[in-house]
Amino acid sequence: HVQLVESGGGSVQAGGSLRLSCAGSGFTYRRNCMGWFRQAPGKEREGVATIDSTGNTNYAESVKGRFTITMNNAQNTVWLQMNSLKSEDTAMYYCAKAISAAGWTGFDYWGQGTQVTVS
């Protein structure tokens, strides 16, 4: 039974930082690609960052240089360090996994999300 549980969201002022965590169970991290996505009110869900089993990362242009995705296979945890936050980063953030991802597609399991609000 696959489960993804996000934590670490909250409210922060512009310019601040947050670190999101995603704890997974029911699958092996090192055999999956993990990703962070977000959805703001009235907008479509968009990809934020992904990391594959070899450590290769991919970022949306809007977060490059500010966000960092990392993964610990032994702990089955993936993090998203978010620095220099902007009001436009306000959204519900979701963790997702994919056995095989191509860009932002192929993710088959999703967490419930954690809210990030930047004011």
Side-chain angles (χ1 to χ4, degrees), residues 36 38 46-50 57-68 83-84 86 88-89 104:
W36 286 98
R38 67 186 181 187
E46 63 176 354
V48 176
T50 64
T57 58
N58 177 50
Y59 295 95
E61 286 296 325
S62 60
V63 307
K64 279 184 179 178
R66 301 188 297 122
F67 291 11
T68 303
N83 298 328
S84 302
K86 305 175 182 179
E88 51 263 46
D89 295 318
W104 306 116

Side-chain angles (χ1 to χ4, degrees), residues 4 6 22 29 34-36 78 93-97 109-111:
L4 297 168
E6 303 95 335
C22 174
Y29 263 52
M34 302 301 298
W36 286 98
V78 61
Y93 283 71
Y94 298 91
C95 173
K97 79 158 196 74
Y109 285 92
W110 299 80

Side-chain angles (χ1 to χ4, degrees), residues 65-117:
R66 301 188 297 122
F67 291 11
T68 303
I69 186 171
T70 54
M71 181 166 64
N72 185 311
N73 290 329
Q75 298 179 20
N76 262 20
T77 303
V78 61
W79 296 274
L80 184 68
Q81 178 67 43
M82 305 186 296
N83 298 328
S84 302
L85 283 161
K86 305 175 182 179
S87 58
E88 51 263 46
D89 295 318
T90 295
M92 184 71 79
Y93 283 71
Y94 298 91
C95 173
K97 79 158 196 74
I99 293 177
S100 178
W104 306 116
T105 62
F107 290 85
D108 53 357
Y109 285 92
W110 299 80
Q112 293 299 307
T114 185
Q115 178 68 39
V116 171
T117 303

